[in-house]
């Protein structure tokens, strides 16, 4: 029996012949990570779907369309483990079939997901199926060294295939090898980076997307690479400093097809730095055309650098193209830290003007801020967060702990210096201290990081930022605040790894952590679930009060008016009737 709720299945090739000829069952699995108690990090709903999963899915569809595998009937199953159950039973069943090659691909595996990916790889190898692992941990680890470290060699010894680099031009060949049962232990395409101009566009299936808050959400990496040289960054050493990009016409065709087929018009452009793509103007102009001439109401968020607002026409074109939010790598308010990290392009004195430039175009600003640069002290960090909040005034900030990720210059420098780094890769998720800090104990550093979220996201800040906005942007920011408050207050995790309502599968626990009996597990979970439910209720009440202040609704109300008020809030927060004010709001607005 296929675990239909856990995976996406669909047939490529000729399913009618599948029983007679050979078949390949391809499982594309994006692993999650373990929490500190050894439980899988999984949620009922999440926010941002994986672009890597979408990319490999699209590449596989393309391989099937081109008939690269001859008469092998190919069936693809998708699973994002952060929101879906692993299709383990299906893999086990299919692995017993003689006419079937089962291939498990662990995709987009980051360093913090590598321990989980390793456990899965061994589990599936024990069933005799082919296993491949790719993504930033393998690519980053091998980017700055010629030696294959022991933990990767151990996987190869277990028959696992490692894939370094991007596979747009090699995926068909790898799958052909898999079909022939002759997978190599290692594939490397980093010296020959693929041309992206006409590469298949990332595409997820609605059955995966239904596990996410926005079901009509698309991801596109319009380009890859970045010309800058930040020392904590892995991207430049994996995807390169010469930017490659997709054709504007290819992006446009995919957006039109997505809109026609599924109504998708909400996008995340995952490029690390969209502003440095040589193709940004052509892409934005095409999006403007789609919005203004074709009528597709595209909305997207993108990542840009702190100088992007100086590019002629960039901000204005972004606005017209439907950009609703920019994520900017601000990283620090301390110029010495920026110089040390080779992030000289960031000018602290320009931060305020930068935020204003984006706000003037009605685009929300979200900055990334790193805590734990060597110059940081508890006092300086608190001061800087205060300045960020009161003077620079972005709408949102995401805090990270400085982490030497494999593939970054920082990681190589620490390795060469023989500095002790945490051996548990599961902790390389940017919110665990994995090295010593020169001026703080690790516990102090972590506490500082946690406090930064609380110091920044106060009701005053949220009220102030929401007050400056109207219409759709205010709703978007309100929803973002809900996500961030839920993550940091209720789920107690980094928002970018967190969805809504935590799941903790009892039996699938990290090796070394005992599987609890049902009763013991229930004793653990019942208070946790209660805490979550009351936590969500509290966050919603707090946000509702802020929202009511922002809408300037009158203070004393009847029960009916209170209910109406909640209805209006829920409509905005959860998306229905968002633009239609309730009678009480109209009354309040006109006071
Ligand atoms: C977008 C993004 C996110 C989004 C993810 C949602 C989304 N829409 O995808 C969000 C904001 C949620 C996010 C969060 C995090 N991210 Co992030 N993210 C990225 C980013 C910018 C783009 C990812 C992407 O789409 N790349 C394009 C795809 C196509 O490239 P790719 O993943 O390398 O895949 C190609 C190849 O590697 C290969 N491949 C990959 N897997 C496999 C498997 C097989 C079998 C094969 C054959 C090939 C193959 O084929 C693909 C096509 O060529 C990358 C940087 C980057 N440029 O990749 C960072 C990056 C992946 N993230 C990173 C980190 C650290 C995180 C967080 C831990 C940090 C945080 N606190 O936010 C969390 C973890 C969340 C999670 N659960 O995964 C690091 C990982 C480094 C590392 N060694 O671990 C990166 C590299 C950025 C960095 N700081 O250096 N991220
Ligand atoms: S600007 Fe961003 S993507 Fe570019 S090198 Fe620096 S951290 Fe990496």
């Amino acid at each position: 029996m296929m675990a239909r709720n856990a995976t996406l299945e669909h047939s490529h090739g000729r399913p009618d012949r599948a029983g007679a000829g050979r078949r390949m069952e391809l499982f594309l699995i994006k692993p999650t990570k373990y929490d500190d108690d050894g439980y899988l990090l999984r949620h009922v709903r999440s926010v941002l779907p994986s672009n890597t999963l979408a990319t490999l899915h699209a590449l596989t569809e393309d391989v099937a369309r081109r008939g690269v595998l001859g008469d092998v009937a190919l069936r693809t199953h998708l699973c994002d483990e952060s929101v879906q159950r692993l299709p383990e039973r299906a893999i086990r069943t299919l692995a017993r079939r003689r006419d079937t090659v089962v291939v498990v691909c662990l995709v987009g595996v980051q360093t913090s997901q590598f321990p989980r990916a390793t456990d899965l790889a061994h589990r599936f190898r024990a069933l005799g199926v082919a296993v491949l692992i790719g993504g930033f941990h393998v690519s980053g680890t091998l980017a700055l060294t010629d030696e294959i470290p022991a933990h990767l060699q151990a996987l190869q010894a277990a028959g696992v295939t490692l894939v370094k680099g991007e596979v747009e031009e090699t995926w068909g060949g790898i799958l052909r090898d898999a079909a022939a049962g002759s997978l190599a232990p290692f594939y490397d395409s980093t010296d020959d980076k693929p041309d992206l101009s006409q590469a298949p566009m990332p595409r997820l299936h609605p059955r995966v997307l239904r596990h996410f808050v926005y079901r009509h959400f698309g991801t596109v990496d319009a380009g890859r690479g970045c010309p800058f040289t930040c020392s904590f960054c892995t991207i430049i050493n994996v995807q390169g400093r010469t930017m490659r990009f997709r054709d504007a016409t290819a992006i446009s065709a995919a957006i039109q097809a997505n809109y026609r087929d599924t109504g998708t018009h909400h996008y995340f452009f995952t490029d690390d730095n969209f502003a440095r793509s040589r193709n940004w103007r052509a892409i934005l102009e095409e999006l403007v055309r789609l919005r203004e001439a074709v009528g597709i109401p595209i909305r997207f968020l993108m990542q840009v650098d702190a100088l992007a607002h100086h590019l002629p026409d960039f901000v204005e074109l972004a606005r017209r193209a439907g950009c609703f939010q920019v994520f900017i790598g601000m990283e620090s308010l301390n110029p010495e830290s920026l110089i040390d990290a080779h992030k000289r392009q960031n000018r602290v004195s320009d931060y305020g003007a930068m935020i204003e430039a984006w706000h003037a175009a009605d685009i929300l600003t979200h900055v990334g801020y790193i805590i734990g640069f060597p110059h940081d002290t508890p006092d300086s960090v608190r001061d800087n967060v205060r300045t960020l909040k009161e003077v620079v005034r972005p709408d949102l900030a995401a805090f990270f702990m400085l982490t030497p990720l494999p593939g970054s210059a920082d990681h190589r420098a620490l390795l060469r210096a023989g500095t002790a780094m945490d051996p548990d890769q599961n902790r390389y998720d940017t919110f665990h201290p994995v090295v010593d800090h020169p001026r703080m104990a690790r516990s102090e550093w972590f506490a500082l990081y946690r406090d930064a979220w609380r110091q920044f996201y106060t009701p005053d800040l949220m009220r102030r930022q929401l007050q400056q906005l109207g219409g759709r942007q205010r709703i978007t920011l309100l929803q973002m605040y809900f996500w961030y408050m839920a993550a940091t207050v209720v789920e107690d995790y980094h928002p970018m790894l967190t969805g809504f309502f935590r799941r903790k599968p009892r039996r699938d626990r990290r090796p070394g952590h005992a599987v609890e009996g049902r009763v013991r597990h229930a004793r653990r979970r019942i208070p946790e679930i209660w805490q979550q439910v009351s936590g969500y209720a509290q966050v919603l009440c707090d946000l509702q009060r802020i929202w009511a202040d922002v809408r300037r609704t009158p203070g004393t109300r009847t029960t009916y008016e209170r209910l109406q008020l909640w209805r209006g809030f829920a409509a905005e927060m959860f998306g229905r009737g968002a633009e239609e004010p309730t009678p009480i709001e109209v009354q309040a607005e006109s006071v």
Side-chain angles (χ1 to χ4, degrees):
M1 224 357 233
M2 303 290 292
R4 283 182 174 271
N5 62 343
T7 65
L8 158 72
E9 314 165 5
H10 55 104
S11 300
H12 301 298
R14 287 171 295 193
D16 50 328
R17 289 201 51 214
R22 293 190 54 229
R23 306 161 58 119
M24 180 187 284
E25 300 283 349
L26 180 73
F27 289 82
L28 299 176
I29 299 172
K30 164 87 184 151
T32 183
K33 68 180 292 271
Y34 297 111
D35 68 13
D36 292 341
D37 290 327
Y39 285 105
L40 294 180
L41 190 65
R42 180 174 298 157
H43 292 88
V44 173
R45 286 275 179 284
S46 197
V47 183
L48 297 171
S50 164
N51 185 54
T52 312
L53 192 60
T55 301
L56 277 158
H57 177 224
L59 291 177
T60 307
E61 284 187 318
D62 184 57
V63 163
R65 201 176 302 118
R66 289 187 290 118
V68 175
L69 299 184
D71 66 356
V72 176
L74 172 64
R75 215 150 61 128
T76 312
H77 311 253
L78 303 183
C79 170
D80 183 332
E81 227 203 344
S82 69
V83 281
Q84 289 174 279
R85 236 181 37 205
L86 201 66
E88 197 168 352
R89 201 187 300 169
I91 295 173
R92 213 173 268 281
T93 310
L94 290 166
R96 287 194 212 108
R97 290 203 189 152
R98 278 165 182 263
D99 64 344
T100 303
V101 179
V102 178
V103 182
V104 172
C105 293
L106 301 171
V107 308
V109 181
Q110 301 181 7
T111 300
S112 65
Q113 296 146 358
F114 205 74
R116 172 64 179 167
T118 301
D119 295 339
L120 292 181
H122 287 302
R123 207 188 280 182
F124 294 130
R125 281 301 296 144
L127 299 176
V129 308
V131 178
L132 298 92
I133 304 185
F136 256 76
H137 181 69
V138 173
S139 299
T141 302
L142 300 175
L144 298 177
T145 170
D146 290 332
E147 285 167 30
I148 301 190
H151 72 282
L152 295 184
Q153 282 187 29
L155 278 166
Q156 285 181 315
V160 175
T161 292
L162 301 180
V163 184
K164 178 186 173 203
E166 301 159 49
V167 295
E168 270 69 10
E169 287 166 6
T170 53
W171 187 222
I174 297 175
L175 283 181
R176 245 195 330 253
D177 289 352
S182 59
L183 275 171
F186 186 50
Y187 292 89
D188 183 357
S189 53
T190 35
D191 289 340
D192 202 8
K193 295 191 173 47
D195 170 16
L196 296 179
S197 54
Q198 294 298 330
M201 297 291 296
R203 201 182 77 84
L204 270 182
H205 194 277
R207 281 168 69 177
V208 177
L209 284 168
R210 73 179 183 203
H211 298 277
F212 290 83
V213 175
Y214 304 107
R215 289 168 192 214
H216 302 296
F217 193 97
T219 60
V220 179
D221 48 330
R224 294 186 197 153
C226 178
F228 293 116
T229 56
C230 309
S231 65
F232 51 82
C233 179
T234 63
I235 289 126
I236 41 180
N237 299 318
V238 172
Q239 297 181 339
R241 289 184 56 209
T242 306
M243 292 207 64
R244 290 157 294 131
F245 42 82
R246 297 179 189 273
D247 268 6
T249 46
I251 295 175
S252 171
I255 288 178
Q256 291 181 69
N258 287 347
Y259 189 61
R260 192 182 53 235
D261 298 346
T262 59
T264 300
H265 62 277
H266 196 101
Y267 284 91
F268 180 8
F269 289 170
T270 62
D271 313 35
D272 292 281
N273 196 344
F274 184 83
R276 299 300 142 186
S277 164
R278 274 193 288 122
N279 215 21
W280 67 257
R281 187 180 288 276
I283 296 171
L284 292 183
E285 282 175 352
E286 182 56 22
L287 297 181
V288 171
R289 190 186 73 79
L290 291 183
R291 275 176 74 86
E292 295 178 0
V294 183
I296 302 179
I298 303 163
R299 300 186 85 230
F300 68 95
L301 67 124
M302 62 177 174
Q303 307 192 85
V304 296
D305 60 63
L307 293 177
H309 62 290
H310 291 299
L311 289 168
D313 304 334
F314 186 68
V315 176
E316 178 53 17
L317 267 178
R319 182 190 67 77
R320 286 179 57 205
C323 176
F324 70 91
Q325 185 186 140
V326 280
F327 184 90
I328 305 166
M330 180 180 278
E331 326 299 11
S332 182
L333 278 167
N334 182 340
E336 283 176 298
S337 297
L338 292 169
I339 290 170
D340 282 1
H342 299 274
K343 191 136 194 165
R344 287 162 209 262
Q345 71 271 23
N346 281 23
R347 296 185 207 130
V348 175
S349 57
D350 191 34
Y351 283 169
M354 171 184 81
I355 298 295
E356 273 176 29
W358 287 107
H359 280 171
D362 200 24
I363 292 174
L364 301 176
T365 51
H366 188 169
V367 300
Y369 198 93
I370 297 178
I371 294 175
F373 284 113
H375 293 288
D376 285 345
T377 63
D379 285 343
S380 75
V381 169
R382 278 190 283 269
D383 275 358
N384 288 342
V385 174
R386 196 173 307 121
T387 308
L388 181 68
K389 184 176 161 181
E390 300 304 336
V391 182
V392 182
R393 296 177 158 226
D395 300 295
L396 295 137
F399 298 98
F400 305 90
M401 297 179 80
L402 184 65
T403 305
L405 292 164
S408 63
D410 283 353
H411 184 261
R412 181 176 52 187
L414 293 173
L415 266 186
R416 284 185 178 160
T419 308
M421 287 185 266
D422 199 318
D424 184 1
Q425 291 146 346
N426 196 63
R427 291 165 61 84
Y428 285 65
D429 52 11
T430 71
F431 63 96
H432 284 86
V434 294
V435 281
D436 286 337
H437 188 275
R439 294 161 190 248
M440 302 175 248
R442 288 190 189 196
S443 53
E444 199 176 7
W445 179 13
F446 181 62
L448 200 60
Y449 155 82
R450 284 185 89 192
D451 285 351
W453 290 99
R454 298 203 180 99
Q455 195 188 336
F456 187 83
Y457 288 98
T458 56
D460 283 353
L461 171 115
M462 294 188 266
R463 202 176 288 116
R464 184 189 75 199
Q465 297 306 123
L466 287 166
Q467 243 149 13
Q468 295 165 15
L469 298 166
R472 192 75 191 87
Q473 284 297 71
R474 183 162 68 191
I475 299 170
T476 303
L477 187 58
L478 186 71
Q479 291 168 336
M480 289 290 298
Y481 286 148
F482 177 56
W483 172 23
Y484 273 41
M485 296 312 289
T488 51
V489 177
V490 186
E491 304 284 344
D492 199 12
Y493 237 70
H494 195 289
M496 289 178 190
L497 281 99
T498 311
F500 298 103
F501 290 105
R502 181 68 198 279
R503 285 195 156 127
K504 285 192 182 175
R506 180 175 68 89
R507 280 181 298 192
D508 205 348
R509 210 168 172 195
R510 190 175 189 181
H513 292 260
V515 172
E516 293 172 333
R518 281 176 201 282
V519 176
R520 189 138 179 236
H521 191 67
R523 274 206 213 115
R524 171 197 287 275
R525 289 298 285 144
I526 289 166
E528 282 179 359
I529 291 168
W530 172 244
Q531 227 175 350
Q532 276 208 324
V533 172
S534 50
Y536 277 108
Q538 187 59 54
V539 166
L540 280 174
C541 287
D542 292 348
L543 282 177
Q544 194 263 1
R545 266 196 295 275
I546 292 168
W547 176 87
D549 290 349
V550 171
R551 304 291 299 228
R552 286 176 282 117
T553 46
T556 41
R557 297 174 197 117
T558 63
T559 307
Y560 173 74
E561 284 172 337
R562 276 174 206 279
L563 278 174
Q564 286 289 79
L565 204 55
W566 266 99
R567 227 195 77 210
F569 170 70
E572 288 213 349
M573 176 65 85
F574 302 109
R576 272 184 293 277
E579 311 288 30
E580 302 146 15
T582 61
I584 192 168
E585 287 157 9
V586 174
Q587 185 194 327
E589 298 273 358
S590 58
V591 169

